[in-house]
Amino acid sequence: MSWLLLAFASAFFLGIYDLAKKKSVQDNAVRPVLFLCSAFYALFMLPVLLTGHCEQLTLHDHLYLMLKAVIVGASWLFTYNAIAHMPLSISTTIRALAPLFTIMIAVGFMGERPFAMQWVGIAICICSYIGLSMAGRKEMGHFFGNGWVVCMLLGTILASCSGIYDKFILQRMNFEPLTVQVWFSIYMMLVQFLCMMVSWLPKRRFSHPFQFRWYFLLVAAFLIIADRCYFLAVSSQDALISIITVLRRSSVFISFLAGIIIFKERKSKLKFVALLGVVIGLCLISLGK
């Protein structure tokens, strides 16, 4: 399957994942939610490990995957907290700015060169993502004066670094995608467990109460599917991480509509115009040669 189609599939399931994630953290303690979602992810991937479908790794290889878990874990810590306190249609569109940082790194340091039409599509998508974020000012106030917006931006930058790191380990170090996904899930669970034990458990009586929700299972399930499509796309030797990142963030459509329809968030003409821009940009990226 084309890496472009895999990127689009990842975006679809990522959008549903964002919706389940919002339901999981809304009025809930974030750190135990992170741990349990990570634990279910690892539990679902465990049969793959036990049946011997993963390649053998050295200690040096495991350190690379541990580092990935630390980077993504830190990103999740920022973004889950932000999503718990922000409108979904705004938080996910801020996170959709990840392509801006990824493209800068991929083009500047990894030698990627998208085609001319794809550059136009990328530019339109980025401008549209910025427009979507600007549309949220009436709901969130001044963006850079809001601590949760800053958390979302920090998490987004870390997610961009993770995307570049994924290209490094999958294309240049030739890790097998399924192996990366399985061991990443295990190390992510350990990272979130340590974070919960250190930063939440001692102060749990003074923080937001924790509630178990079945949405945790949906978070894990949809993220597994989204990640599988994503890792397969990135592992393709002709895949461009700058393009994959933009396509993957088209998940903003599902999050945007869910925020307005399900969570009754504010409607805006600028939001809809920006979404149209994203559609045009994605078409140019897919067709550009």
Side-chain angles (χ1 to χ4, degrees), residues 143-154:
F143 262 39
F144 294 104
N146 187 298
W148 299 121
V149 170
V150 174
C151 281
M152 201 69 199
L153 286 171
L154 290 173

Side-chain angles (χ1 to χ4, degrees), residues 38 44 52 55 138 140 152 197 201 216 220 267:
S38 301
F44 290 154
E55 62 182 331
K138 293 182 179 179
M140 297 295 299
M152 201 69 199
M197 295 298 292
L201 193 62
F216 301 166
K267 297 179 181 179

Side-chain angles (χ1 to χ4, degrees), residues 229-243:
C229 294
Y230 167 71
F231 286 132
L232 286 173
V234 176
S235 66
S236 177
Q237 290 301 314
D238 60 341
L240 301 180
I241 192 65
S242 53
I243 304 298

Side-chain angles (χ1 to χ4, degrees), residues 93 96-97 99-100 103 114-134 242-243 246-247 249-250 252-253 270-286 288:
T93 52
L97 292 172
L100 175 63
I103 290 168
F115 295 110
M117 189 179 293
Q118 291 175 324
W119 268 119
V120 174
I122 289 171
I124 292 174
C125 282
I126 291 174
C127 290
S128 299
Y129 290 148
I130 293 173
L132 284 168
S133 297
M134 291 175 63
S242 53
I243 304 298
V246 174
L247 296 182
R249 285 304 155 195
S250 64
V252 68
F253 289 114
L270 180 57
K271 285 183 180 180
F272 287 105
V273 171
L275 276 176
L276 178 60
V278 173
V279 173
I280 296 172
L282 292 176
C283 290
L284 291 176
I285 289 170
S286 300

Side-chain angles (χ1 to χ4, degrees), residues 147-255:
W148 299 121
V149 170
V150 174
C151 281
M152 201 69 199
L153 286 171
L154 290 173
T156 298
I157 293 172
L158 286 170
S160 299
C161 294
S162 174
I164 296 298
Y165 191 72
D166 290 336
K167 173 162 182 168
F168 172 72
I169 61 176
L170 288 167
Q171 288 191 14
R172 300 197 177 181
M173 295 195 67
N174 295 315
F175 276 83
E176 201 279 321
L178 188 59
T179 300
V180 171
Q181 189 171 3
V182 169
W183 283 106
F184 162 72
S185 70
I186 294 172
Y187 291 131
M188 172 61 79
M189 178 184 65
L190 295 176
V191 167
Q192 296 302 340
F193 176 74
L194 291 174
C195 182
M196 180 186 68
M197 295 298 292
V198 172
S199 63
W200 177 78
L201 193 62
K203 303 177 182 178
R204 65 187 184 282
R205 294 182 180 178
F206 308 102
S207 64
H208 208 291
F210 168 71
Q211 296 178 350
F212 178 85
R213 296 172 183 171
W214 291 108
Y215 284 106
F216 301 166
L217 292 171
L218 295 179
V219 168
F222 285 118
L223 185 58
I224 285 174
I225 300 173
D227 279 352
R228 179 61 177 160
C229 294
Y230 167 71
F231 286 132
L232 286 173
V234 176
S235 66
S236 177
Q237 290 301 314
D238 60 341
L240 301 180
I241 192 65
S242 53
I243 304 298
I244 291 174
T245 304
V246 174
L247 296 182
R248 198 170 190 240
R249 285 304 155 195
S250 64
S251 62
V252 68
F253 289 114
I254 297 175
S255 305

